[in-house]
Amino acid sequence: MAVSPTYVTKEATTNLWRNRLMTTAAILTVAVSLALVGSSLLLKQGAAKATVQWQNKVDVIVWVKPTAPVAQTTAVGSQLRQSPYIQTCQFRSQRYDYNEARTVVAPDEFAATTLADYPSSYRCTLVDPSQAPAVYQQFIGQPGVSEVSYPGQQIKTMQSVIHILQWVFLSVAIVLLLSASVLIFNTIRMAIFARRREVAVMKLVGATNWFIRLPFMAEGLIQGLLGAVMAVLVVLGVYWGLGLDVQKTAANQSSIIAQMALSGWEVSSTCIAVAVVGVAVGVVGSYLAVRRFLEV
Amino acid sequence: MIKFQNVTKTYKGTTVALRDFSIEIEKGEFAFLVGPSGSGKTTFIRLLLREETPDRGRIWEAGKDIGHLAKWRIPYLRRNIGCVFQDYRLLPNKTVFENVAFALEVIGRPKHVIAAQVPQILSEVGLTKKANNLPHELSGGEQQRVAVARAFVNRPLILLADEPTGNLDPETSLGIMRLMEEINKRGTTVVIATHDAGMVDAMRRRVIELDKGVLIRDQAHGVYGIDSATAAAGAGSPTGLALDVDRRPPSGPMEPLT
């Protein structure tokens, strides 16, 4: 027997409203846990992206002390060009970085800096990206060189941080998802209890199991879905808030966030995953309650 | 229509509700099931509603062996059975009309069928004027009439009643019994579990008596108990003491009735 969707929706929304306090708790728990799941998915994808970029086009940056005389600076430059590891090298003057900072850094922070704060640097592409540490060994401590950095280093640190964050997020999310299921299970149980007379009469006059079950399951589904919608908003907030939507450009290429930039498709698939998990939690929680408390 | 063959039902393995119980009730019969509390009357009804399954023995109902009924078919079995209880089991927040209509809605009957059938059954039970009242605004007898209307609106093959007059005064009870009789006249098999002796004596219909789960009497035009039967015989009752206890073994599976 077909069950009318109008009937199911009407009954489900009536139940939700009758039990709104528990419903709110369940929805919020779903939202928080899914927001964590979604954010950790974003981080994971970002980290993978950054790793790929590093492997494709690594920049070793040799920072020259701002106080170094011109002769030392050019000596470093010629050594770099002679190094067998290096493919190309580009010199960036203090003025260049200073001007770039003007566009990137917040105006009040920028005002507190002077030209001398921006060391000039050599940005190099390597023949083999994995040899970055060797370049580091060669140039660190050279006269006039203040620091040798390669984004791979930053990315590796970032990766391990992200890795730990992911596990923390995911384990918290799993605990929260479990409690969300239990909360949904409980709201459905209360809804069934509140309607036990109707249910008893329905069984007595021969309503089918699915006719009795579906409104309660729809109730769980709606809770999961509403929680997922809130979580999707949080995920999008993280995406735009962190600037993960800004694709890598010449101006921001040294920024880790830019290395992690994600496409619209990647974000929407994350959101879809979040929505699917939300619906699944709602349906599973309510199905268990219905199985347990509605048997003929 | 209803046939029990050597049915035994125990609860938790110790309490015997029915012991090797066999009975046959034909289509269109009107039977009372009598006996003290705990004699197995309610178990009899629960077995017919397939709320319980027997430990041993077989049960046929409307031509089907309900012991081997798939779970998903149970609702369809129940659509052929109307059931009335001592406590009416009406939905307190629905009007009389809605209570009866609910029974049709939940089995997926279309709106126009509901709009036609509910007023008709309400007029049959004499509650047309109370259609928009809530159950608590009705007397006990009226509430039980609503329950009967709900049980019968779908024109079931069988009407079961578990102590339908347990909460009603004798006069009101008689009204309910007359209503059951009317329903029976339309061809529905009626089985009433009761310990309302006055009612059973007044109706002079088939009486099936249980004691501790055992069939002790099956009488065609019986009265409530042996004592009242004797009293009735002494008063010159036309049926007298015609105790025709039926303990014949069942004669094979029942014919399917449609």
Side-chain angles (χ1 to χ4, degrees):
Chain A
M1 187 191 67
V3 183
S4 138
T6 330
Y7 165 81
V8 171
T9 325
K10 204 186 92 201
E11 296 294 302
T13 42
T14 312
N15 280 349
L16 284 172
W17 181 247
R18 224 183 260 179
N19 207 359
R20 49 195 173 275
L21 204 64
M22 278 290 289
T23 300
T24 314
I27 290 175
L28 287 179
T29 317
V30 172
V32 171
S33 50
L34 287 180
L36 284 174
V37 170
S39 311
S40 80
L41 279 178
L42 278 190
L43 278 178
K44 190 185 167 75
Q45 291 179 83
K49 247 323 187 19
T51 312
V52 168
Q53 296 221 350
W54 165 62
Q55 280 161 350
N56 287 346
K57 191 185 165 193
V58 72
D59 284 330
V60 167
I61 305 171
V62 177
W63 301 95
V64 179
K65 286 178 186 152
T67 53
V70 180
Q72 265 181 9
T73 312
T74 46
V76 170
S78 56
Q79 276 186 38
L80 276 168
R81 278 178 200 97
Q82 283 156 19
S83 164
Y85 304 120
I86 307 288
Q87 199 172 36
T88 58
C89 248
Q90 193 196 2
F91 179 68
R92 283 229 205 152
S93 64
Q94 285 176 281
R95 174 66 58 189
Y96 182 97
D97 276 3
Y98 182 70
N99 287 337
E100 190 181 289
R102 192 198 302 280
T103 61
V104 179
V105 180
D108 50 338
E109 281 176 40
F110 180 75
T113 64
T114 62
L115 183 62
D117 292 326
Y118 297 90
S120 53
S121 60
Y122 288 97
R123 311 213 164 196
C124 306
T125 312
L126 299 191
V127 179
D128 176 1
S130 67
Q131 283 163 335
V135 179
Y136 175 85
Q137 287 301 327
Q138 190 186 341
F139 286 91
I140 193 77
Q142 289 251 3
V145 173
S146 66
E147 174 68 294
V148 179
S149 66
Y150 48 103
Q153 215 173 23
Q154 296 177 39
I155 287 170
K156 275 203 171 151
T157 322
M158 194 69 186
Q159 267 182 324
S160 57
V161 170
I162 285 175
H163 199 69
I164 294 165
L165 268 183
Q166 255 180 21
W167 281 109
V168 172
F169 274 31
L170 275 182
S171 40
V172 172
I174 285 168
V175 171
L176 284 176
L177 276 179
L178 282 177
S179 44
S181 308
V182 171
L183 277 173
I184 289 178
F185 177 88
N186 203 34
T187 44
I188 303 305
R189 185 176 71 168
M190 308 229 322
I192 292 171
F193 184 74
R195 312 201 59 194
R196 63 196 181 284
R197 288 163 186 271
E198 271 105 325
V199 169
V201 172
M202 284 185 194
K203 285 181 184 170
L204 186 69
V205 301
T208 56
N209 262 345
W210 282 108
F211 187 90
I212 303 174
R213 280 175 177 176
L214 276 178
F216 293 112
M217 291 189 58
E219 197 184 330
L221 187 144
I222 291 171
Q223 291 180 6
L225 197 62
L226 287 179
V229 166
M230 292 168 73
V232 162
L233 292 179
V234 172
V235 167
L236 291 177
V238 167
Y239 178 63
W240 286 314
L242 281 183
L244 287 173
D245 56 330
V246 181
Q247 292 295 323
K248 192 175 157 181
T249 59
N252 66 6
Q253 60 182 319
S254 60
S255 144
I256 275 292
I257 292 292
Q259 309 268 3
M260 292 173 63
L262 297 171
S263 66
W265 163 245
E266 283 159 323
V267 174
S268 27
S269 57
T270 303
C271 292
I272 290 168
V274 162
V276 167
V277 173
V279 168
V281 163
V283 170
V284 167
S286 55
Y287 183 70
L288 290 178
V290 158
R291 275 294 298 270
R292 180 115 154 65
F293 301 107
L294 270 188
E295 262 324 286
V296 255
Chain B
M1 181 58 53
I2 295 169
K3 183 171 155 186
F4 279 58
Q5 184 182 318
N6 307 103
V7 171
T8 297
K9 173 72 190 174
T10 55
Y11 291 109
K12 287 176 183 158
T14 51
T15 318
V16 180
L18 282 179
R19 191 195 297 277
D20 199 24
F21 176 74
S22 298
I23 196 88
E24 198 165 334
I25 298 170
E26 298 295 338
K27 182 171 164 56
E29 268 200 79
F30 189 112
F32 284 108
L33 195 63
V34 303
S37 299
S39 59
K41 303 190 298 289
T42 299
T43 300
F44 177 88
I45 286 180
R46 290 176 63 84
L47 285 167
L48 286 176
L49 286 172
R50 192 53 160 72
E51 285 176 356
E52 305 280 355
T53 48
D55 300 338
R56 275 196 302 281
R58 300 170 76 179
I59 301 169
W60 286 270
E61 195 172 10
K64 293 185 193 79
D65 181 348
I66 65 165
H68 298 97
L69 199 65
K71 239 182 174 181
W72 67 270
R73 284 185 185 272
I74 296 173
Y76 300 95
L77 170 80
R78 290 183 186 157
R79 290 179 194 187
N80 289 323
I81 309 168
C83 200
V84 176
F85 298 92
Q86 180 172 5
D87 55 359
Y88 323 130
R89 305 210 181 159
L90 301 178
L91 302 176
N93 52 348
K94 287 188 192 293
T95 65
V96 167
F97 185 96
E98 287 164 348
N99 262 285
V100 178
F102 187 68
L104 293 174
E105 280 163 15
V106 301
I107 60 170
R109 292 283 182 273
K111 279 207 168 72
H112 68 269
V113 171
I114 296 173
Q117 288 189 351
V118 176
Q120 194 192 336
I121 190 81
L122 286 181
S123 94
E124 285 169 32
V125 301
L127 282 174
T128 304
K129 284 182 183 157
K130 306 270 184 175
N132 294 317
N133 285 80
L134 289 169
H136 71 87
E137 296 164 339
L138 306 180
S139 71
E142 287 168 332
Q143 290 188 49
Q144 193 60 295
R145 280 171 184 273
V146 178
V148 172
R150 183 180 66 193
F152 194 59
V153 68
N154 195 31
R155 311 288 154 173
L157 299 168
I158 299 168
L159 186 75
L160 302 175
D162 193 359
E163 304 284 1
T165 58
N167 283 342
L168 304 174
D169 61 72
E171 200 180 326
T172 314
S173 299
L174 199 62
I176 295 294
M177 283 300 161
R178 295 285 171 232
L179 189 58
M180 301 275 198
E181 227 175 8
E182 278 304 310
I183 285 170
N184 177 243
K185 277 182 189 157
R186 314 246 182 115
T188 295
T189 309
V190 177
V191 179
I192 301 170
T194 185
H195 47 227
D196 187 341
M199 206 50 51
V200 177
D201 293 352
M203 299 293 284
R204 290 289 160 148
R205 306 302 284 257
R206 182 177 179 185
V207 172
I208 298 158
E209 187 170 356
L210 286 169
D211 189 28
K212 298 191 179 75
V214 178
L215 175 69
I216 59 167
R217 179 164 65 115
D218 184 0
Q219 187 177 12
H221 300 282
V223 288
Y224 186 80
I226 300 296
D227 293 343
S228 55
T230 317
S237 148
T239 45
L241 251 176
L243 287 173
D244 49 340
V245 176
D246 181 7
R247 291 181 190 252
R248 285 170 295 147
S251 51
M254 206 167 64
E255 291 296 311
L257 294 162
T258 48

